[in-house]
Amino acid sequence: MVENQIIIKTGNGMVLASWLQDYKKYGVRLLKKIDEGNDLWLIRYDTSKIKPADMMELMKNDRYIVEAEFNTKIMER
């Protein structure tokens, strides 16, 4: 698990620039769009400003976020 990265799926009515501004105090930054068709985004935040569990709770309770999960690293074999 990458504690400072969360994959989010956005819902209807979200204006990404405004949403990012709302979370600026937590150091949230957009890293990349993961899936064009499903509105999946990878975001990063500052763990010195908010704990991972608290950030996940914010994401789960955000009206514009349909799904949220921590990013995970995949190991090569």
Side-chain angles (χ1 to χ4, degrees), residues 10 33-41:
T10 59
K33 189 164 191 174
I34 296 174
D35 185 7
E36 191 70 35
N38 288 319
D39 289 328
L40 290 175
W41 300 86

Side-chain angles (χ1 to χ4, degrees), residues 13-29:
M14 179 190 213
V15 177
L16 194 56
S18 296
W19 184 86
L20 287 168
Q21 189 65 31
D22 291 344
Y23 286 93
K24 185 178 181 178
K25 61 185 167 191
Y26 303 116
V28 172
R29 292 188 180 155

Side-chain angles (χ1 to χ4, degrees), residues 2-74:
V2 183
E3 289 186 335
N4 69 337
Q5 295 180 1
I6 296 178
I7 298 170
I8 58 170
K9 181 175 182 178
T10 59
N12 292 333
M14 179 190 213
V15 177
L16 194 56
S18 296
W19 184 86
L20 287 168
Q21 189 65 31
D22 291 344
Y23 286 93
K24 185 178 181 178
K25 61 185 167 191
Y26 303 116
V28 172
R29 292 188 180 155
L30 183 63
L31 292 180
K32 65 180 177 178
K33 189 164 191 174
I34 296 174
D35 185 7
E36 191 70 35
N38 288 319
D39 289 328
L40 290 175
W41 300 86
L42 179 61
I43 62 166
R44 171 186 192 133
Y45 63 96
D46 188 341
T47 55
S48 69
K49 296 181 179 183
I50 186 169
K51 295 177 184 177
D54 294 337
M55 187 64 178
M56 182 57 74
E57 186 175 337
L58 283 176
M59 295 295 102
K60 297 273 185 177
N61 292 321
D62 189 299
R63 65 182 178 167
Y64 294 116
I65 305 298
V66 177
E67 296 175 25
E69 64 182 72
F70 286 107
N71 192 18
T72 55
K73 285 188 177 183
I74 299 173

